[in-house]
Amino acid sequence: LARLWRDECLLNHTRCQRGSNGAEPKLPTRLVDVSDPERPFLQERHTLPRSRPNTQYVALSYCWGQGKKFRTLRDNYEIFKATGIPCFDLPQTFKDAIHAAHSLGYQYIWIDALCIIQDDDGDLENELKNMGDIYRYAELTICAQGAASSHAGFFQSSRHTLSLVPRSVDLRIVSTSRETTVLNPTLTGRFNVKDYLSSRGWILQEDILTLRALKFSDQMSWRCMETIQMETEPHIFRGALYSQENRGTDHVPEPATHTEYSSQDQAICSPDPLRDIFASWYSMIQLYSDMKLTYASDVLRALSGVSAILRDTYRTTYLAGLWNEDLFAGLCWYASANDTRVAFRHTAPSWTWASVGKVRVRF
Ligand SMILES: [Zn+2]
């Protein structure tokens, strides 16, 4: 089913194509080669075969969570490149992602814990800056939506019947003078999908910049620029993305957000597009300020990919979380009084919302 969704998108979705062709594809510094999913190994960008210029890769979006962290470190980096990553030790979420990428026909996957040398400050600094691009240029992002940690895996033990909620039946009754016709009587159930990703601070940028997302939770779902599909509703409801009634209990991102932020190749329709962009930015910051970050010092970094696109697309000047072109409005932020999270100092100048760290901010 996932392959079907992906192929349909690659072949027939014009908006998704435009998105990927609009910019020169850029590869991450390192990728995990999953040609043999039982023996994955690290490969550096400059060692990839030049004969295949259009190398595509999958990125993984997941929650680190609790438990032992399996990471690439300075000590094991050369081993992971030369002899491979020991599959036996890999957390279940990574194993599942590697198998999913391989089954979908991809040779490379990007996983932050493996593709960034986690005890090398210079490497971390460099790579975290590029996170936006990594998700933006991935052909597909696999999201471990239902996994509370890297050890939980994609597939939860069973689909609990209590998580299945009844859905209203789509009945369209067409009455003519003598006859009544009932159309589209669907009786599928909807899942209340577990979502461990939506509260992560980094997810906002990943979700906005991702062109195609394949999500694993109590059920598998697909989201691209044109469609949202799920196992319980595998039919394509193209063109209906913006209607409120199609957003069920399954967690789906606001497609409008996508249009706003990935619109560097789209026509600007509003008479004052910058005003709309800034307004969307402030709404996004409000949403973002409620999300969690493991390191409060990442507060601006976790948005750097989105801000860079807005800056380059609209030729605006980015000032530590605010915009020079809309500074009067931007400076009117305030930290919500009932927030008990510890503020992080020295992250940004005192006039920006980012200076108070990861606390609830309103404009
Ligand atoms: Zn698509």
Side-chain angles (χ1 to χ4, degrees), residues 6-27 53-57 106 133-141 208-212 222-226 258 262-266 309:
R6 194 268 319 265
D7 292 346
E8 161 74 17
C9 177
L10 287 175
L11 286 172
N12 298 327
H13 293 176
T14 34
R15 286 179 62 202
C16 303
Q17 301 309 317
R18 213 185 312 145
S20 44
N21 294 340
E24 277 288 299
K26 245 180 2 187
L27 287 177
N54 257 339
T55 304
Q56 300 292 354
Y57 66 95
Y106 293 97
D133 279 349
I134 288 166
Y135 286 96
R136 187 175 164 208
Y137 291 114
E139 184 165 276
L140 172 72
T141 296
I208 289 170
L209 297 177
T210 290
L211 196 58
R212 305 177 183 91
W222 172 270
R223 194 273 300 147
C224 66
M225 303 286 283
E226 289 203 11
H258 260 90
S262 55
S263 61
Q264 76 267 25
D265 54 354
Q266 289 172 18
I309 290 179

Side-chain angles (χ1 to χ4, degrees), residues 61 197-210 257-258 261 281 283-289 291 302-303 306:
S61 175
L197 293 180
S198 61
S199 59
R200 281 178 60 230
W202 282 92
I203 193 66
L204 194 72
Q205 166 167 294
E206 289 168 19
D207 202 36
I208 289 170
L209 297 177
T210 290
T257 318
H258 260 90
Y261 291 105
W281 174 263
S283 321
M284 188 187 78
I285 297 299
Q286 294 190 164
L287 187 73
Y288 173 67
S289 71
M291 295 174 161
L303 286 178
V306 181

Side-chain angles (χ1 to χ4, degrees), residues 48-255:
L48 297 177
R50 280 161 196 262
S51 51
R52 291 171 44 206
N54 257 339
T55 304
Q56 300 292 354
Y57 66 95
V58 169
L60 175 67
S61 175
Y62 69 104
C63 180
W64 282 70
Q66 303 293 315
K68 193 167 167 257
K69 288 188 165 60
F70 186 93
R71 303 172 294 172
T72 295
L73 301 168
R74 277 178 293 193
D75 278 351
N76 59 21
Y77 179 48
E78 292 302 326
I79 301 169
F80 283 6
K81 273 199 300 180
T83 57
I85 303 163
C87 231
F88 185 75
D89 297 334
L90 269 180
Q92 193 58 43
T93 304
F94 296 179
K95 280 187 202 165
D96 290 344
I98 288 171
H99 276 277
H102 177 76
S103 309
L104 287 164
Y106 293 97
Q107 188 180 351
Y108 301 106
I109 185 167
W110 185 89
I111 302 176
D112 62 353
L114 303 178
C115 297
I116 302 176
I117 304 171
Q118 299 285 334
D119 59 350
D120 182 331
D121 288 346
D123 197 55
L124 270 171
E125 181 67 36
N126 267 335
E127 296 301 308
L128 292 181
K129 266 195 311 217
N130 295 332
M131 291 282 270
D133 279 349
I134 288 166
Y135 286 96
R136 187 175 164 208
Y137 291 114
E139 184 165 276
L140 172 72
T141 296
I142 294 178
C143 307
Q145 196 179 25
S149 77
S150 59
H151 297 280
F154 285 5
F155 306 102
Q156 314 306 314
S157 52
S158 66
R159 299 184 188 205
H160 203 284
T161 43
L162 287 178
S163 69
L164 194 65
V165 291
R167 61 165 293 169
S168 56
V169 179
D170 182 15
L171 282 179
R172 265 178 265 159
I173 299 166
V174 181
S175 295
T176 56
S177 52
R178 300 243 166 131
E179 185 183 343
T180 303
T181 317
V182 181
L183 294 174
N184 298 339
T186 10
L187 276 170
T188 48
R190 267 174 192 256
F191 282 95
N192 271 323
V193 167
K194 271 204 242 76
D195 188 352
Y196 290 103
L197 293 180
S198 61
S199 59
R200 281 178 60 230
W202 282 92
I203 193 66
L204 194 72
Q205 166 167 294
E206 289 168 19
D207 202 36
I208 289 170
L209 297 177
T210 290
L211 196 58
R212 305 177 183 91
L214 177 65
K215 304 184 178 192
F216 290 89
S217 184
D218 295 312
Q219 67 162 319
M220 187 174 69
S221 63
W222 172 270
R223 194 273 300 147
C224 66
M225 303 286 283
E226 289 203 11
T227 67
I228 291 168
Q229 292 161 97
M230 46 206 80
E231 284 176 73
T232 48
E233 291 178 60
H235 59 277
I236 297 163
F237 55 91
R238 204 189 290 192
L241 288 179
Y242 301 94
S243 80
Q244 193 60 42
E245 60 266 35
N246 278 322
R247 291 185 204 137
T249 45
D250 292 288
H251 175 83
V252 290
E254 291 278 340

